[in-house]
Amino acid sequence: MTAEPKATVAVETGTEPGGRWVSALSLANLGVWVGWFGPLQLLLARQAEHLTPDHKASTLALVTGLGAAVSMVANPVFGALSDRTTARAGRRIPWVVAGVVGGAAGLVVLSLAASVTAVIAGWCLVQLALNAAFAALTAAVPDQVQPRRRGMVGGWLGVSQVVGILVGTALATVAGGITAGYLACAAFTVLAAVPYVLMRRDSVLPPAARPAFRWRTFLAGFWIDPRRHPDFGWAWLTRFLMNLSYSISTMYLLYYLTDAVRYAGDADTGVLILTALNALTLLSTVVISGIRSDRSGRRKSYVIRSGLVIAAATLLLAVWQTWTGAVVASLVLGLGFGVYTAVDFALLTDVLPTAEDRGRDLGVINIANALPQVLAPVIAAPVVTHLGGYAALYALAGGLALAGSILVRRIRSVL
């Protein structure tokens, strides 16, 4: 049996996009992060506390874990589907539209949820739909942007990520309750995508260039053999370790403030303050580090150093369990993640196996973002409860970040 030949198609648009396109892309990306992190930072934790006050940690772990499992499957599948989409509007834009509308619908379901089952259903819908939008937005970067500018664009996407987390947390805090918080996040997510969709800049796949669909071929494509593509494999593993560290660090931040720090004020406000401080230092490094990486042509040294800074920040949370310690750790964490967010994204786009399957391949990379959300609560709950509490939890997060930083050196094709 011979392998089916791949259709080839020029996926770039000829001229690089300007600042308006990058701004619109970043705003749409920001909206997706608002839809994710308004719930993740506060709303889901408060909802779990309201519905099951005696089992809030396990309820939160169940909801976020199931949602992350959906995300882990949805992102590469929707990325692969966008690679094969032949709509006149382009390969990516239809999935952005469907994704943000579906994500907003899931947030509305969450706003009305009166049981854990309804919360699970709503959050899984949010993860399913927003991953369709996120996969399409991410794949648009290597479609439209040449490698020499991807660090800069990655920096602006990093800005949109951290501002999205901050805006989502702020909306969840000031909206006036769980229901209003979800509805505010839903409205913002949809509106933020409008400028990008109206710009209608997208790569178009001619129907004749789309390969014939075979289930076996489609499913087999999600396995990218690390022996054939070792740099892709190492990039996936290091991103997985860094995101597992981050998920462990942030998922229990609200409970860390209430149960370990004994924060004297309102814990929701405390989370918002820490998120804002993290955003402040992240924004100071994210764009400039991407630009410097583009100019120097180097990626690995930036990623390695940023990982060491992230590890140091999580270790501060382990050993300095006071409000002052949390503030200092948030500032340091922002410095590290600013550099990491911009440059690691550019590094990933440099090691993709094929141009035709960028959406799928970036979706496989994004499993390294989603899988930690599944594993983090499974790991964190017993560590907090039985294996040393929050000191052990954040020490573990620091060790994972350190490992992820060191293993970046195994990537050979990128400087």
Side-chain angles (χ1 to χ4, degrees):
M1 183 170 59
T2 59
E4 181 179 340
K6 268 189 179 178
T8 58
V9 57
V11 293
E12 289 79 12
T13 57
T15 60
E16 285 207 45
R20 289 179 62 248
W21 182 86
V22 175
S23 298
L25 176 77
S26 300
L27 180 62
N29 195 60
L30 186 154
V32 171
W33 287 100
V34 167
W36 273 329
F37 273 87
L40 280 173
Q41 289 286 85
L42 284 175
L43 296 173
L44 289 174
R46 284 303 184 205
Q47 210 162 22
E49 190 175 47
H50 174 71
L51 293 172
T52 57
D54 296 331
H55 308 284
K56 60 184 182 182
S58 58
T59 297
L60 180 62
L62 175 64
V63 172
T64 56
L66 290 174
V70 171
S71 172
M72 186 171 59
V73 175
N75 200 289
V77 169
F78 284 120
L81 291 174
S82 74
D83 287 335
R84 302 172 57 86
T85 296
T86 58
R88 292 178 62 185
R91 297 194 299 169
R92 317 298 183 189
I93 285 177
W95 296 102
V96 174
V97 174
V100 297
V101 171
L107 291 168
V108 172
V109 171
L110 284 168
S111 74
L112 302 172
S115 67
V116 174
T117 301
V119 172
I120 291 171
W123 184 238
C124 286
L125 176 57
V126 170
Q127 288 283 31
L128 181 74
L130 290 186
N131 268 284
F134 186 66
L137 292 168
T138 304
V141 176
D143 281 353
Q144 305 281 342
V145 182
Q146 296 299 320
R148 60 184 174 81
R149 292 188 62 209
R150 290 177 189 169
M152 181 272 293
V153 176
W156 284 111
L157 291 181
V159 170
S160 70
Q161 176 180 335
V162 71
V163 174
I165 295 171
L166 180 60
V167 171
T169 306
L171 288 175
T173 303
V174 306
I178 293 173
T179 298
Y182 280 126
L183 294 178
C185 291
F188 191 98
T189 297
V190 172
L191 293 174
V194 171
Y196 178 79
V197 172
L198 292 180
M199 194 166 288
R200 300 186 65 183
R201 184 185 178 99
D202 201 355
S203 59
V204 177
L205 179 68
R210 183 172 62 182
F213 184 82
R214 300 286 187 275
W215 273 111
R216 179 175 294 182
T217 304
F218 182 75
L219 295 175
F222 293 108
W223 169 246
I224 300 173
D225 191 342
R227 293 171 299 181
R228 292 184 58 197
H229 306 284
D231 284 352
F232 184 88
W234 286 114
W236 190 97
L237 178 60
T238 56
R239 193 169 185 85
F240 166 77
L241 291 171
M242 296 299 294
N243 278 287
L244 183 57
S245 171
Y246 185 76
S247 294
I248 288 174
S249 299
T250 59
M251 190 169 291
Y252 287 84
L253 186 58
L254 180 66
Y255 301 154
Y256 175 75
L257 289 182
T258 57
D259 301 339
V261 173
R262 307 291 182 185
Y263 182 62
D266 177 64
D268 288 5
T269 303
V271 172
L272 178 59
I273 292 171
L274 295 180
T275 305
L277 293 174
N278 179 275
L280 179 67
T281 51
L282 192 151
L283 292 173
S284 72
T285 60
V286 65
V287 175
I288 192 170
S289 61
I291 293 173
R292 287 182 175 178
S293 174
D294 285 341
R295 289 176 178 173
S296 68
R298 294 185 175 273
R299 309 292 192 198
K300 290 196 297 187
S301 60
Y302 285 87
V303 175
I304 291 169
R305 289 197 295 267
S306 66
L308 296 176
V309 173
I310 292 166
T314 55
L315 291 173
L316 279 176
L317 291 170
V319 302
W320 195 2
Q321 295 184 10
T322 66
W323 173 246
T324 302
V327 167
V328 173
S330 293
L331 293 170
V332 175
L333 192 64
L335 291 172
F337 260 104
V339 179
Y340 180 82
T341 299
V343 183
D344 190 63
F345 177 80
L347 184 153
L348 291 172
T349 63
D350 290 342
V351 300
L352 297 178
T354 65
E356 293 86 356
D357 299 312
R358 285 167 171 162
R360 181 203 67 192
D361 295 343
L362 282 169
V364 172
I365 285 285
N366 279 318
I367 294 175
N369 299 335
L371 183 57
Q373 295 179 44
V374 178
L375 297 179
V378 176
I379 295 170
V383 171
V384 170
T385 306
H386 304 295
L387 300 176
Y390 288 100
L393 182 69
Y394 286 105
L396 173 61
L400 291 168
L402 182 62
S405 175
I406 293 171
L407 289 175
V408 170
R409 299 180 64 183
R410 301 299 298 270
I411 299 171
R412 303 299 185 192
S413 63
V414 180
L415 293 177

